[in-house]
Amino acid sequence: MCGIFAYSGPRNNAPLLVVEGLKCLEYRGYDSWGVAYQAKGDIKIYKKVGKIGDFKAKDHKFETSSLAIGHSRWATHGGVNRVNAHPHFSENKEIVLVHNGIFENYLDTKKFLEKKGHKFISKTDTEVIAHLIEEHAKTHSFEDSVKMAIKEIEGRYAIVVIKEDENKIIAARKGSPLIIGVGKNEFFIASDIPAFLKYTNKVIYLDDNQICTVENKKISFFDNIKEEEVKKRIIEIEWDIESAEKGEHPHFMIKEIIEQKDTLNRAINQDPKVIEQVAKEIKKAFGTYFIGCGTAGKVALVGEYLFAKISKKHINFAFGSEFPYHRQFLTNKTLLIAVSQSGETADTLEAIEIAKEKGVKIVSIVNVESSTMARISDIVIPLKAGPEKAVASTKATTSQLAILTLLAYACNGGILEGKHLLINAASQINDMINPRYEDHIMKLARKIKNVESMYIIGRGMNYPIALEAAIKLQEVSYIHAEGFAGGELKHGPIALISKDTPVIALVANDDCKNEIISNATEVKARGGYIIGVSPENHEVFDYWIRVPDAGNASPILNIIPIQILAYQLAVLRKNNPDMPRNLAKSVTVK
Ligand code: G6P
């Protein structure tokens, strides 16, 4: 996790500029933050515990500087405190560094350095990298020391380093994102593009094992494996700044929920050749896997049901973190389809790496087209949802669901039928995302805002949506929420139902309808308060949230009222829905 931002150029307010850049990356980590900058030959550091979004320019007067690096942290090694916040100094305080990732073998290196007299003040793996660079710098140049140090790091990293007496920034990556924004005689280095989008839309993607050095208005690149200079292309990207900002909305989460009116259409509007090509690969493959983590994992599980029903094909599902335990089953005829918003989730990336070792072909369904995942895949299907900033995924989810539905139809020779179904579903979204609909859900939110637990049930392709609904409610409302397959209730979870326990039943007009209504009735008989999400009202419902009848696209429409409910509960309970406690948008650690 964690966000990195660095600047080198003619502006003399680099520290503040870095702070502003980090504010755009806060979704990646928000427990503490810090900035290091060069001022009159010295390195100054300013660190704080808490959200960088709360910082105002008047809170601290930075000295004039045109070179600065910064970091917004999501703690992995060591608790949340000022000492563990980045940037970290080397022993001699000459080298300072920020890091996103995990230095897996840091304890061995730390012991080795301790024997050489190094003393560590933090509990982080990052501080060890700074000391390791210093150790090499005793006998080598700054650049060579960085090159040598990162060769010793096992795991994933994106680092940005500066040294007291050198007017340069060195950045390197392996597995964690780093993108360079190229302005006029100035360079921005960040974990994600929106952070520097207001200055430039010209970018250079740093690849794994590459190092970049910014010095005297110039940038150079080095491949640390081949040990040679590399030339990199500048790419102009099309994202506009508004799509990365909240605009008039109080939170990104509601902005992104509303954007689904448009994003779903964009997801449906895929290049048919690419969809047909992936469908062909699925038909040809001897075993296909869908993988993803968190919300993307739940979407991948919906895919298993969609393919069974629409294209009569069995696809295996695994969470990214569980996929490695299927590795014995993989051959060069296997196909892996990874679902991800960020394209940077470490567990999904590791699964892909394992599959690639076995010669497996990789398809990724991903929002960030510049991501590691997109770049290491054989075929990419872009979500085209624009930047998703709120930690809780909303618009990316429905876009992913739409693409899987389209693929399932394409696999059965019915891409046009699929497109038609999805366009129809997308056209119904206006009936769901409007003030009247939101008010209706708000009445429910007010009623249940203080409950301890709630449950969501679904069947068939709406069973994974019950799981996704639970995640949505948990992550922003902090109410205990669990999703179950309707039929599983009677095998245990029904014991949790007492008077007025809210239970959301996802009821589609499909072959599961009667059974899920029966399950809701069983809950009601035990005192449960039944909230029906369904095209039609039913006597078993105590509260009805109408959703349009979307046929096989019902998972897409059923999750939308839950997204709205989760958002409203978060606001009513005074939680920040964009930055839920303990979570981060992009989980780049295993
Ligand atoms: C984190 C986020 C989730 C997301 C998951 C997978 O846990 O909080 O919202 O679903 O990562 O992320 P990805 O970028 O791969 O979709």
Side-chain angles (χ1 to χ4, degrees):
M1 246 88 33
C2 309
I4 289 179
F5 193 94
Y7 173 80
S8 168
R11 302 173 204 249
N12 64 8
N13 63 340
L16 209 52
L17 191 144
V18 165
V19 170
E20 291 309 315
L22 287 174
K23 283 184 181 174
C24 302
L25 295 171
E26 201 175 14
Y27 68 91
R28 300 178 65 88
Y30 35 83
D31 54 43
S32 52
W33 60 277
V35 179
Y37 58 101
Q38 280 194 336
K40 300 182 199 103
D42 269 351
I43 292 184
K44 301 271 179 321
I45 286 201
Y46 181 74
K47 298 197 211 185
K48 265 195 103 73
V49 171
K51 294 191 172 73
I52 194 167
D54 297 338
F55 178 83
K56 308 266 176 319
K58 63 172 173 42
D59 294 347
H60 179 78
K61 193 162 167 20
F62 292 105
E63 290 176 42
T64 306
S65 169
S66 54
L67 188 147
I69 66 175
H71 185 271
S72 181
R73 181 171 186 244
W74 186 84
T76 54
H77 293 67
V80 178
N81 57 44
R82 203 179 160 278
V83 175
N84 288 334
H86 301 212
H88 285 284
F89 268 127
S90 61
E91 178 89 27
N92 62 9
K93 304 255 186 295
E94 284 181 10
I95 291 165
V96 67
L97 169 142
V98 293
H99 166 225
N100 166 210
I102 297 276
F103 178 5
E104 287 171 2
N105 52 328
Y106 84 106
L107 281 175
D108 293 342
T109 311
K110 193 171 179 178
K111 271 191 214 131
F112 164 81
L113 290 169
E114 273 167 347
K115 280 197 197 127
K116 287 187 163 273
H118 288 258
K119 294 204 171 43
F120 295 91
I121 56 168
S122 79
K123 296 268 181 288
T124 64
D125 49 346
T126 306
E127 191 187 6
V128 180
I129 308 177
H131 284 243
L132 184 60
I133 296 172
E134 176 190 326
E135 192 58 30
H136 288 300
K138 287 178 181 162
T139 45
H140 294 82
S141 69
F142 178 31
E143 263 122 325
D144 285 347
S145 319
V146 175
K147 288 174 193 166
M148 292 163 87
I150 57 178
K151 279 199 173 154
E152 294 171 48
I153 300 178
E154 284 167 24
R156 297 176 186 281
Y157 60 81
I159 57 164
V160 178
V161 205
I162 54 175
K163 189 165 181 284
E164 193 174 78
D165 49 356
E166 309 240 10
N167 194 24
K168 61 174 78 155
I169 298 182
I170 303 181
R173 71 158 272 180
K174 188 177 145 213
S176 298
L178 264 192
I179 299 136
I180 294 126
V182 183
K184 196 167 174 225
N185 295 327
E186 61 183 357
F187 296 95
F188 307 83
I189 303 173
S191 308
D192 200 356
I193 295 169
F196 56 67
L197 207 51
K198 71 173 171 196
Y199 305 105
T200 180
N201 67 341
K202 294 194 177 70
V203 307
I204 299 175
Y205 297 110
L206 198 63
D207 286 315
D208 279 353
N209 300 304
Q210 290 183 342
I211 298 170
C212 111
T213 306
V214 177
E215 186 181 17
N216 291 336
K217 302 178 193 164
K218 289 208 180 68
I219 190 160
S220 58
F221 297 91
F222 187 82
D223 185 316
N224 211 28
I225 301 280
K226 294 189 190 139
E227 302 202 332
E228 61 186 26
E229 296 280 325
V230 273
K231 291 243 170 309
K232 303 280 297 175
R233 252 185 334 141
I234 297 182
I235 296 166
E236 272 192 42
I237 52 135
E238 285 171 17
W239 280 1
D240 60 300
I241 186 73
E242 282 98 73
S243 61
E245 285 177 353
K246 272 196 296 226
E248 82 267 21
H249 303 284
H251 298 103
F252 278 110
M253 186 174 176
I254 190 68
K255 174 185 179 249
E256 289 160 5
I257 289 173
I258 294 170
E259 280 176 349
Q260 291 174 110
K261 290 177 182 186
D262 176 43
T263 50
L264 196 53
N265 280 311
R266 279 195 258 148
I268 302 163
N269 196 12
Q270 291 291 334
D271 179 350
K273 282 200 223 90
V274 176
I275 299 294
E276 297 285 14
Q277 187 194 354
V278 175
K280 211 162 115 196
E281 294 291 346
I282 296 172
K283 284 192 257 180
K284 198 171 81 182
F286 185 71
T288 299
Y289 276 94
F290 282 145
I291 62 160
C293 297
T295 291
K298 308 301 178 292
V299 170
L301 183 55
V302 177
E304 188 184 286
Y305 283 89
L306 285 168
F307 270 73
K309 185 168 180 192
I310 299 166
S311 39
K312 295 158 196 70
K313 269 207 102 36
H314 175 65
I315 310 261
N316 303 284
F317 159 76
F319 286 118
S321 56
E322 289 296 310
F323 181 78
Y325 313 117
H326 293 242
R327 52 153 66 92
Q328 283 77 4
F329 189 70
L330 306 176
T331 71
N332 59 5
K333 295 197 175 57
T334 313
L335 180 69
L336 180 69
I337 302 186
V339 182
S340 176
Q341 189 286 126
S342 63
E344 300 293 350
T345 301
D347 288 330
T348 313
L349 286 176
E350 194 194 351
I352 292 175
E353 277 156 21
I354 286 169
K356 277 176 93 86
E357 278 164 23
K358 296 266 193 162
V360 171
K361 198 167 235 178
I362 313 294
V363 176
S364 61
I365 300 176
V366 65
N367 197 29
V368 183
E369 288 174 59
S370 56
S371 61
T372 309
M373 208 172 292
R375 290 150 75 73
I376 61 175
S377 298
D378 298 292
I379 306 174
V380 177
I381 307 181
L383 302 186
K384 302 193 269 191
E388 191 183 66
K389 292 285 206 74
V391 166
S393 179
T394 52
K395 61 177 179 173
T397 312
T398 45
S399 294
Q400 289 161 348
L401 287 167
I403 290 168
L404 285 176
T405 311
L406 199 59
L407 271 178
Y409 276 95
C411 240
N412 196 30
I415 189 168
L416 282 179
E417 187 188 346
K419 208 168 166 182
H420 191 255
L421 173 98
L422 290 164
I423 290 172
N424 180 46
S427 71
Q428 316 252 24
I429 288 192
N430 274 334
D431 290 343
M432 306 178 70
I433 302 178
N434 59 52
R436 200 164 35 91
Y437 197 76
E438 285 166 33
D439 281 353
H440 179 65
I441 298 176
M442 184 55 111
K443 276 193 204 114
L444 174 69
R446 286 209 183 90
K447 180 174 168 59
I448 64 173
K449 71 174 198 296
N450 293 322
V451 298
E452 267 181 26
S453 295
M454 57 196 297
Y455 302 97
I456 308 95
I457 56 171
R459 276 180 173 255
M461 58 177 88
N462 276 295
Y463 156 54
I465 294 299
L467 302 180
E468 165 54 13
I471 293 195
K472 220 59 337 147
L473 292 159
Q474 289 160 5
E475 60 187 342
V476 298
S477 77
Y478 311 154
I479 295 174
H480 169 234
E482 276 188 73
F484 295 109
E488 280 297 293
L489 273 189
K490 55 188 176 291
H491 299 295
I494 204 159
L496 300 170
I497 307 297
S498 57
K499 190 168 169 343
D500 289 335
T501 308
V503 176
I504 301 177
L506 304 173
V507 185
N509 256 342
D510 60 11
D511 50 358
C512 312
K513 183 176 166 183
N514 293 340
E515 281 87 356
I516 194 76
I517 292 282
S518 296
N519 299 140
T521 312
E522 289 153 17
V523 173
K524 188 155 176 151
R526 273 93 188 159
Y529 179 79
I530 308 296
I531 301 148
V533 173
S534 166
E536 288 132 29
N537 201 352
H538 192 282
E539 60 187 18
V540 72
F541 299 159
D542 294 294
Y543 201 90
W544 175 43
I545 300 176
R546 196 188 77 82
V547 285
D549 187 356
N552 285 335
S554 72
I556 300 174
L557 297 194
N558 282 352
I559 194 61
I560 292 174
I562 312 291
Q563 294 171 347
I564 298 171
L565 177 65
Y567 172 75
Q568 293 175 341
L569 285 169
V571 173
L572 287 174
R573 290 165 65 94
K574 305 210 173 355
N575 303 337
N576 180 346
D578 288 347
M579 290 176 210
R581 67 183 179 209
N582 305 340
L583 298 177
K585 179 82 183 147
S586 187
V587 185
T588 55
V589 294
K590 282 201 272 174

